[in-house]
Amino acid sequence: MPDETKNLEKYREKRSPDRTPEPFSEGASPSGRLYVMQKHAARNLHYDLRLELDGTLKSWAVPKDPSYDQTVKRAAFMVEDHPVEYATFEGVIPKGNYGAGEVIVWDRGVWVPLEDPHEGLEKGKLLFELRGHRLRGRWTLVKVKRGENEWLLIKERDALEGSDRDTFQHDSVVTGRTLEDLRSGRSREAVLLERIDELDVPTRAPNVDDVGLMLAETRRDPFDDDGWVFELKYDGYRVLGARQARGVALRSRNGNDMTRALPEIADALARLPYGDFIVDGEVVVHDEAGLPSFQRLQKRARLTRSLDIQRAAAELPATLYVFDLLAFAGRDLRGLPLTERKALLRDLLPSTGVLRYSDHIVGRGKAFFELAESMQLEGIMGKRADSPYRAGRSREWVKIRASRVDDFAVIGLKSSKNAPGTYGSLYIAQYDGDRLVYAGSVGTGLMPKHVEEILARAGDAIDRPPIEGLPKAAADRWVEPVAVVEVRYLERTEAGQLRHPVFLRVRDDKSASECVMPVDAAAEEPAAPAPATSEPPRQRPPERRVRFTNLDKVLWPEDGYTKGDLIEYYRAVSRWMLPYLRDRPIVQTRFPDGIHGKSFFQKDAPEWAPEWLRIETVWSGGSERELRYFIADDLPSLEYLANNASIPLHIWSSRVGSLERPDWCSLDLDPKGAPFENVIRVARAVHDLCERIGLPNFVKTSGSSGLHVLVPLGRQCTHEQARLLGELLARRIVHDLPDIATIARVVSQREGKVYVDYLQNGHGKLLVAPWCVRPLPGAPVSTPLRWSEVKRGLSIGQFTIRTVPARLARWKKDPMAPVLTQTPDLVAALSALNER
């Protein structure tokens, strides 16, 4: 177990970090500090309580299990500080070593000191709150006078205190393993696999990207039926979680990757002691009362910066309630009855933790519904006990809400009578099969901020209602059914319209196609199970369509190239270009009146951008605000940008998930009056220097007048370090070629030399994307080259919107593509450069 051995070695280190103690500020750290309690079968069975402070883990050995009863005082013996890395250790410490025996992570979370912790340790009384999976509420560590290291662990009086809570599970909150599992070497995976192989399931596990979600129909009233099981309905995001050959993945109901947005869920899945699996569940974020909070979850899901996500994972931790097991150890379990799948799932998960088993009751839907209603939960799910897992909406699964609440597609907006110039109500609808049915209008509860969000999702206005029979003048703005809202109402009329509707929120986790009219309980009884299929049908992904406009608009008047030609070019090179655009903020330069007309930069995506277009929010130091950058991950996104008359596309050197770690260092060889022959000589000198010091390097035309040389970094360093590397290379080239190269930034000081610009390496600095067109006569293209082409006779004008597609038709691979993946030995290269 290499990870466990590594942690054990760190544990053995004697470290006394010279750190300034963290100042205590009451309420300053709502997320608290790391807390962990490990169950440890050393010479004597005990619990190790560890509280992070000043970069180490303050540690106490507690011989007996902690008690929620305040009258029960547990002895706690303070031991040496441990490295923070030891908080993740779970395994067996070999015999002959200090603390030999089995260790599991029995509980973990955060602790919040309620008084100055340094002063508390000094005086012998540490008052704190625990926010773990098993231990919560207020606790005290009190030092006993008779012993130097003897303390007592006592539960403080609060709503959680009481003798009736002393029932603890004995498995790890991380892996589900017990001390006995570690002692015996028993494999949980092997035990589960023996049970699965007795069930005769297919041995072809599905890929998580190919799995379509099984969806429930809406039902109005609860019911009792012994052939059905009932689960709580959580107010969260539906997610498929998987660990497969590519690692851990989290997929939303719309197929979006949520792995980076929910690192604590991804880490919990990664630490389960199994090879591969796919589970289905719902991610929630709890409020202070322990109830799911959709608002807090939305706040989590909309974060994009790594630091913000890491902070939120501590302050607003997410939990995955898992209710189904679809695949395990190369076996496809979807054809098994639901209760069989859930029985396996129960034994696969820890008894508590970040991953929680969604339990159920059998048959008693009405009583269970009343319980959910009394707890102010969203409602319940009813599932036929013998139902297989099939993609798409099914009557074998039903959702029953605790109040009459449902999701609706927005089809129109009506102006407000009280506030002219604003919209005050929405026209909404649901699907009945493939037919869109009008459900009335809603204005109560609607705020201007909601209208802004709806307009951003709904897109441009359309000429007529999307439902036939509605008067065109009824709404002031008709829109395509794209934006989804949640509405509470008293009842429906016979015509299907809502009585006393109240707007609740915008749903950003659902598509309009999921807004389906509920089944009438009086007319519909639960349907008989349909025959299982060997391959579940895939869900239809949301439509990604660009409405092209003014395709005949001439953008290059000398050449006659139109916006339609620009779009066709980007379509032709999309396979080559998209790898450079994916996951990178894009800055557009738009030329609505052609290359000689007025142009403007656009970093901030407008509110009317299509819902399906990926937009990431990034803080801009220059603008002193967050900007909404376009991200072009696919062809429709690229088509959308081209339809905006965005001729050049400028990209960051870093990706959204690692904005401070660039993929490359660039040198821009700008002639500004110098002969192009000298640009070629300087480029060859950069190439030769990089080759001699072991740095891979790639070249492309700028599409304007010079060449760009890119050195891959593999996200190993910061932007500042990338700039320093570029400066070292540039200075060496200027030293070697003083007659034709310079790093003088002011044009008048360059004396007709090639400017070797290394300053375009930095946070937010831009590079014109490979394969993109430039707004110059002839429509030149910034084109990657083979180094063998960088020689006398090379001309920027060789590569244009007309010639590049034909050039690519002859190529099998992009000579610059490795700049996105290579990870050179930068230390060795810098050492070699230093020697020169």
Side-chain angles (χ1 to χ4, degrees):
M1 298 183 182
D3 290 340
E4 294 172 358
T5 303
K6 183 178 178 182
N7 283 335
L8 181 59
E9 289 173 352
K10 291 179 178 178
Y11 160 63
R12 291 174 184 156
E13 293 177 1
K14 301 292 185 179
R15 302 201 308 181
S16 300
D18 184 16
R19 296 175 182 263
T20 302
E22 304 170 37
F24 175 74
S25 176
E26 190 170 355
S29 180
S31 61
R33 301 161 167 87
L34 174 65
Y35 144 71
V36 67
M37 184 170 279
Q38 290 158 312
K39 195 172 183 180
H40 189 174
R43 183 173 56 184
N44 296 306
L45 181 66
H46 65 278
Y47 295 83
D48 292 317
L49 169 63
R50 309 194 193 281
L51 306 176
E52 180 189 8
L53 187 66
D54 300 333
T56 63
L57 295 174
K58 300 294 180 182
S59 301
W60 290 261
V62 183
K64 293 185 178 181
D65 57 318
S67 174
Y68 272 95
D69 186 345
Q70 193 187 39
T71 64
V72 178
K73 299 174 174 60
R74 296 299 195 205
F77 298 91
M78 195 172 192
V79 297
E80 64 179 9
D81 294 349
H82 285 55
V84 172
E85 293 84 359
Y86 192 71
T88 62
F89 177 71
E90 185 170 295
V92 180
I93 301 175
K95 290 182 178 180
N97 291 272
Y98 173 74
E102 299 80 28
V103 180
I104 62 170
V105 179
W106 183 81
D107 192 23
R108 67 179 301 166
V110 298
W111 73 287
V112 180
L114 302 178
E115 298 173 347
D116 189 325
H118 303 96
E119 186 176 321
L121 288 171
E122 181 70 25
K123 292 184 176 180
K125 184 177 181 181
L126 190 62
L127 180 63
F128 54 93
E129 179 186 348
L130 289 181
R131 299 176 185 173
H133 298 295
R134 289 185 169 138
L135 296 186
R136 300 186 67 82
R138 295 185 169 215
W139 298 76
T140 302
L141 278 165
V142 181
K143 192 172 183 180
V144 179
K145 293 182 180 180
R146 65 174 178 269
E148 183 179 350
N149 297 317
E150 293 183 39
W151 296 64
L152 295 175
L153 176 64
I154 307 169
K155 180 73 185 74
E156 288 288 311
R157 290 199 182 277
D158 58 19
L160 298 174
E161 189 266 338
S163 58
D164 57 340
R165 295 182 57 86
D166 285 349
T167 54
F168 297 122
Q169 302 95 342
H170 299 287
D171 62 328
S172 163
V173 296
V174 175
T175 65
R177 295 185 295 191
T178 64
L179 293 173
E180 179 56 35
D181 289 335
L182 295 176
R183 189 175 300 118
S184 64
R186 179 173 56 199
S187 166
R188 295 173 62 85
E189 182 171 22
V191 173
L192 283 170
L193 202 51
E194 287 180 11
R195 290 167 54 188
I196 290 172
D197 287 343
E198 293 175 358
L199 300 173
D200 191 25
V201 297
T203 55
R204 58 179 193 286
N207 187 292
V208 67
D209 294 325
D210 299 329
V211 173
L213 291 176
M214 187 167 179
L215 303 174
E217 290 197 346
T218 301
R219 187 181 172 101
R220 291 178 179 171
D221 299 311
F223 59 95
D224 291 340
D225 190 318
D226 289 339
W228 287 65
V229 298
F230 298 93
E231 304 167 347
L232 289 176
K233 188 178 188 307
Y234 304 99
D235 197 9
Y237 284 167
R238 182 83 174 274
V239 164
L240 285 178
R243 185 163 76 196
Q244 296 184 317
R246 293 176 298 169
V248 169
L250 293 171
R251 297 286 183 269
S252 73
R253 65 191 303 140
N254 294 326
N256 297 322
D257 187 352
M258 299 187 70
T259 314
R260 194 177 68 86
L262 299 166
E264 67 271 44
I265 305 293
D267 180 66
L269 291 172
R271 289 178 63 84
L272 289 177
Y274 314 110
D276 62 281
F277 53 83
I278 302 176
V279 295
D280 192 357
E282 194 154 2
V283 171
V284 306
V285 173
H286 298 100
D287 62 15
E288 288 83 357
L291 296 176
S293 169
F294 191 82
Q295 184 178 6
R296 292 187 176 196
L297 179 60
Q298 277 189 320
K299 183 178 180 180
R300 281 291 312 271
R302 289 172 178 172
L303 298 175
T304 57
R305 293 200 312 164
S306 296
L307 288 177
D308 293 339
I309 291 170
Q310 292 168 12
R311 186 182 302 113
E315 296 180 358
L316 299 172
T319 300
L320 178 62
Y321 286 91
V322 189
F323 50 70
D324 217 325
L325 179 62
L326 312 188
F328 182 82
R331 275 69 167 174
D332 187 347
L333 309 182
R334 291 175 292 176
L336 292 176
L338 172 66
T339 49
E340 291 275 15
R341 302 195 304 272
K342 292 202 69 173
L344 294 166
L345 177 65
R346 183 192 292 273
D347 291 340
L348 177 139
L349 297 172
S351 57
T352 191
V354 176
L355 308 175
R356 300 190 189 179
Y357 174 73
S358 180
D359 213 337
H360 61 264
I361 66 166
V362 178
R364 300 181 60 194
K366 293 180 180 179
F368 195 52
F369 178 81
E370 290 179 4
L371 176 63
E373 202 170 28
S374 69
M375 295 173 63
Q376 298 181 332
L377 295 173
E378 191 180 2
I380 65 171
M381 299 291 300
K383 299 178 180 179
R384 190 180 284 278
D386 58 359
S387 61
Y389 192 99
R390 287 193 290 265
R393 201 165 299 281
S394 170
R395 291 182 179 178
E396 295 179 331
W397 286 16
V398 295
K399 54 186 176 183
I400 308 166
R401 296 183 185 262
S403 58
R404 298 207 185 277
V405 177
D406 214 342
D407 301 316
F408 298 85
V410 177
I411 61 171
L413 298 95
K414 185 73 173 176
S415 294
S416 171
K417 295 179 181 179
N418 300 324
T422 64
Y423 293 111
S425 59
L426 311 174
Y427 284 43
I428 55 178
Q430 286 180 316
Y431 282 97
D432 183 7
D434 294 331
R435 185 171 63 99
L436 197 60
V437 178
Y438 180 58
S441 64
V442 57
T444 304
L446 187 67
M447 303 292 288
K449 64 179 182 179
H450 302 134
V451 173
E452 291 178 8
E453 191 172 354
I454 290 165
L455 289 173
R457 296 178 182 280
D460 298 336
I462 58 178
D463 295 335
R464 57 180 61 86
I467 299 176
E468 292 198 12
L470 293 179
K472 185 176 180 180
D476 295 301
R477 180 186 180 119
W478 294 107
V479 293
E480 295 283 2
V482 175
V484 175
V485 296
E486 188 178 72
V487 177
R488 183 175 64 240
Y489 58 96
L490 182 64
E491 61 181 357
R492 293 178 187 253
T493 67
E494 291 184 2
Q497 297 185 26
L498 309 185
R499 290 191 60 212
H500 303 296
V502 177
F503 172 89
L504 297 180
R505 65 190 181 200
V506 179
R507 295 294 302 243
D508 58 2
D509 62 323
K510 288 193 174 183
S511 62
S513 61
E514 297 180 80
C515 299
V516 180
M517 292 185 68
V519 176
D520 188 339
E524 290 284 341
E525 290 300 321
T533 57
S534 58
E535 287 292 332
R538 295 188 186 184
Q539 286 180 278
R540 186 172 63 184
E543 185 179 20
R544 306 172 70 83
R545 180 167 55 90
V546 179
R547 295 175 185 168
F548 296 110
T549 57
N550 299 325
L551 295 179
D552 295 329
K553 176 71 176 180
V554 175
L555 300 182
W556 285 268
E558 294 91 344
D559 309 281
Y561 296 147
T562 65
K563 188 165 76 169
D565 293 325
L566 177 67
I567 293 170
E568 286 303 319
Y569 167 77
Y570 278 134
R571 281 176 174 165
V573 303
S574 61
R575 180 170 72 89
W576 306 79
M577 188 175 184
L578 283 171
Y580 299 100
L581 304 183
R582 287 192 182 105
D583 291 329
R584 293 183 203 283
I586 292 176
V587 175
Q588 304 178 76
T589 311
R590 298 177 60 179
F591 290 80
D593 299 318
I595 64 171
H596 300 307
K598 290 184 177 180
S599 63
F600 59 93
F601 285 100
Q602 184 175 359
K603 295 182 180 180
D604 218 1
E607 294 180 355
W608 56 84
E611 178 190 21
W612 51 262
L613 192 65
R614 182 180 173 191
I615 294 172
E616 297 286 355
T617 302
V618 178
W619 175 260
S620 169
S623 302
E624 289 298 320
R625 65 185 181 93
E626 289 186 327
L627 297 179
R628 301 169 69 245
Y629 282 91
F630 286 112
I631 309 290
D633 290 331
D634 52 25
L635 178 56
S637 303
L638 182 56
E639 289 176 331
Y640 175 83
L641 298 177
N643 189 57
N644 282 346
S646 303
I647 297 178
L649 300 176
H650 289 84
I651 56 176
W652 286 36
S653 61
S654 55
R655 313 182 196 197
V656 170
S658 51
L659 285 176
E660 297 307 318
R661 298 281 169 172
D663 283 296
W664 59 71
C665 166
S666 65
L667 293 179
D668 181 359
L669 310 183
D670 181 7
K672 281 292 191 299
F676 192 68
E677 285 184 8
N678 288 354
V679 176
I680 294 173
R681 285 183 59 195
V682 172
R684 296 296 316 186
V686 174
H687 174 60
D688 293 342
L689 173 61
C690 290
E691 292 293 295
R692 289 196 298 269
I693 65 175
L695 279 181
N697 54 97
F698 306 92
V699 63
K700 70 180 181 74
T701 67
S702 68
S704 177
S705 59
L707 296 175
H708 294 156
V709 179
L710 272 63
V711 174
L713 301 176
R715 287 176 277 179
Q716 300 178 86
C717 60
T718 65
H719 288 288
E720 178 63 19
Q721 291 166 335
R723 189 192 66 78
L724 288 172
L725 172 62
E727 182 177 2
L728 290 172
L729 295 173
R731 289 186 180 277
R732 180 67 205 188
I733 293 301
V734 170
H735 176 273
D736 292 345
L737 299 173
D739 294 336
I740 63 171
T742 181
I743 57 172
R745 187 170 179 80
V746 180
V747 176
S748 61
Q749 297 176 357
R750 295 181 189 172
E751 302 175 339
K753 300 175 184 178
V754 177
Y755 174 43
V756 185
D757 185 1
Y758 59 84
L759 296 174
Q760 291 309 305
N761 298 287
H763 179 86
K765 297 292 186 180
L766 303 173
L767 178 78
V768 64
W771 307 112
C772 94
V773 192
R774 304 305 300 267
L776 297 169
V781 170
S782 179
T783 308
L785 305 171
R786 299 185 177 99
W787 274 109
S788 60
E789 297 177 289
V790 184
K791 59 186 179 181
R792 183 184 296 272
L794 176 67
S795 168
I796 298 290
Q798 294 174 245
F799 311 104
T800 71
I801 196 172
R802 285 285 184 234
T803 63
V804 165
R807 172 184 172 89
L808 292 180
R810 301 190 300 268
W811 282 14
K812 293 184 178 179
K813 60 181 181 179
D814 179 354
M816 183 169 273
V819 78
L820 300 173
T821 56
Q822 287 192 354
T823 307
D825 187 340
L826 298 177
V827 174
L830 286 171
S831 177
L833 182 61
N834 183 58
E835 290 176 3
R836 301 186 65 81

